[in-house]
Amino acid sequence: AAKAFVVCALLVDSTPTRLSSLWLRPSRVPIARKTLALASRDCEMSGKDTRVGPRRSTLGAMGFLAVSTAAMSPRASKAAPQIISDAASMLPGYGMADLYFPGFFQGTWDCVSELVDIQFPAGEDMVPNLKQVKSLRRFLGTPSILLRFNQTFIPFRGRIIADRGVNTKAAREAARFDDESKEWYYEPSTVRDVRWDPSNPNVLSYMMREGDKVDVLVTKRGSENPTPEVFITSEVVRQTQTSMGEIGLTPVIKQVKDQVKYRRVGSGQIQAIMISNVYLTPGDDVKLEDFLKAGNKPVTTYRTRIIMTKL
């Protein structure tokens, strides 16, 4: 369940009041510092490749636009993919252009994340999966909450973007930390057939091991670069999970707004804090009056600390 807090997937009004208000606050849970230092030391001593999982990229073909280039000049024809991409990014439901990261992000990063806090802004009675969330809350401050995965940023049309296809699969297959053996371990893969096209970055899909299909749509995003060392992002995502095995089941829709503040703290290292706000959707198992009562207030807020080391 903790993997869902690493991969931000999920619709709400995303315009941030002030992205730069996402300051890195000292956590009440210090366990990560000790464990992360231990993990880094073990990797250095072993001399082993610290990359977590293979880099697999499957680009999906999004055929929602058809443009005839027969009458175009060679120069215009050559620019057709860019024209299609720009037009797609302006269509309702397809959001704005992708997030463009500072140049120092380019490459692959070894990431270790720790979920440090869970809050219920609208009250516990408004949380549909309260039992599951409370169970997760018990592990705060322990190594069991740590996850390790790779994140890759690539050049595309002269800018640096996140390789969302590769990153989604890597985060969903994150390694966990065993406090007894002081080693990272993997569980069986839960995703396959990840489809994403950088020319249409707002749409991503993948299949779950049990046969469910997950469609992810970015509906809004924004970013700030207040200093050369700080980069802040905000995205609103709608995730729809559809059961492919049983006919008649209603798709499950999730709505989340994710804000991340990255700070470069040295050569080859970035520290980040991610705040994920989960909102009620009409499909949740709640009464209509509760849905209306929640309004624009999130029902669950997760705060995650991430340490990224360049590979």
Side-chain angles (χ1 to χ4, degrees):
K3 296 178 184 178
F5 313 126
V6 179
V7 190
C8 299
L10 317 177
L11 171 71
V12 281
D13 179 22
S14 100
T15 309
T17 54
R18 181 67 179 166
L19 292 182
S20 54
S21 63
L22 277 175
W23 295 109
L24 289 168
R25 298 194 306 213
S27 170
R28 294 173 298 175
V29 187
I31 187 69
R33 291 193 181 92
K34 183 185 299 183
T35 308
L36 293 174
L38 177 61
S40 299
R41 186 189 65 186
D42 288 346
C43 290
E44 293 173 359
M45 293 177 63
S46 66
K48 295 180 179 179
D49 187 349
T50 58
R51 288 174 294 178
V52 181
R55 185 186 187 282
R56 302 174 184 173
S57 177
T58 305
L59 300 181
M62 304 304 299
F64 59 88
L65 284 179
V67 177
S68 173
T69 60
M72 292 184 178
S73 66
R75 182 176 181 181
S77 178
K78 189 174 181 179
Q82 180 67 57
I83 295 173
I84 296 173
S85 177
D86 293 344
S89 68
M90 297 176 67
L91 287 175
Y94 281 87
M96 57 181 286
D98 204 352
L99 293 174
Y100 301 119
F101 290 81
F104 62 79
F105 273 83
Q106 183 174 348
T108 299
W109 299 75
D110 177 33
C111 305
V112 178
S113 74
E114 179 193 20
L115 180 64
V116 296
D117 192 29
I118 304 176
Q119 296 294 327
F120 308 116
E124 293 187 1
D125 58 327
M126 302 293 285
V127 182
N129 58 336
L130 181 61
K131 184 176 180 180
Q132 179 182 2
V133 176
K134 278 194 168 183
S135 176
L136 182 65
R137 207 178 194 181
R138 298 201 312 267
F139 293 99
L140 295 181
T142 72
S144 300
I145 208 70
L146 296 173
L147 298 174
R148 188 176 183 182
F149 51 94
N150 282 357
Q151 293 288 275
T152 300
F153 299 83
I154 59 175
F156 182 72
R157 293 175 180 166
R159 296 180 174 180
I160 304 302
I161 64 172
D163 191 333
R164 296 172 185 264
V166 168
N167 293 350
T168 295
K169 187 172 185 0
R172 294 288 302 187
E173 296 177 344
R176 297 178 180 274
F177 189 77
D178 186 338
D179 193 31
E180 293 185 4
S181 65
K182 300 296 186 291
E183 293 181 351
W184 297 94
Y185 69 94
Y186 292 96
E187 294 181 340
S189 176
T190 60
V191 299
R192 58 183 175 83
D193 196 20
V194 180
R195 296 180 179 272
W196 177 74
D197 188 336
S199 64
N200 182 29
N202 300 314
V203 178
L204 180 147
S205 68
Y206 59 89
M207 297 295 296
M208 300 291 290
R209 182 175 57 191
E210 59 270 22
D212 289 3
K213 182 183 180 185
V214 178
D215 295 292
V216 180
L217 175 66
V218 178
T219 61
K220 282 188 180 181
R221 63 163 59 92
S223 66
E224 286 185 20
N225 200 178
T227 74
E229 309 300 323
V230 175
F231 186 63
I232 307 169
T233 66
S234 176
E235 284 195 321
V236 175
V237 188
R238 178 173 59 211
Q239 175 180 288
T240 305
Q241 184 168 337
T242 307
S243 174
M244 307 301 289
E246 298 184 46
I247 299 176
L249 290 181
T250 303
V252 177
I253 300 175
K254 296 295 182 183
Q255 304 179 97
V256 170
K257 176 169 124 182
D258 294 303
Q259 293 176 287
V260 187
K261 181 172 184 177
Y262 302 91
R263 184 190 297 275
R264 182 165 60 170
V265 295
S267 178
Q269 189 170 86
I270 297 173
Q271 292 181 1
I273 194 75
M274 180 173 72
I275 298 175
S276 300
N277 289 312
V278 182
Y279 295 76
L280 287 179
T281 64
D284 285 322
D285 187 20
V286 296
K287 297 179 181 178
L288 177 60
E289 52 265 36
D290 289 339
F291 176 75
L292 298 175
K293 179 182 176 182
N296 291 327
K297 184 179 294 186
V299 294
T300 313
T301 297
Y302 302 94
R303 180 182 290 270
T304 303
R305 177 168 51 265
I306 307 170
I307 294 182
M308 305 168 60
T309 304
K310 188 72 171 288
L311 294 177

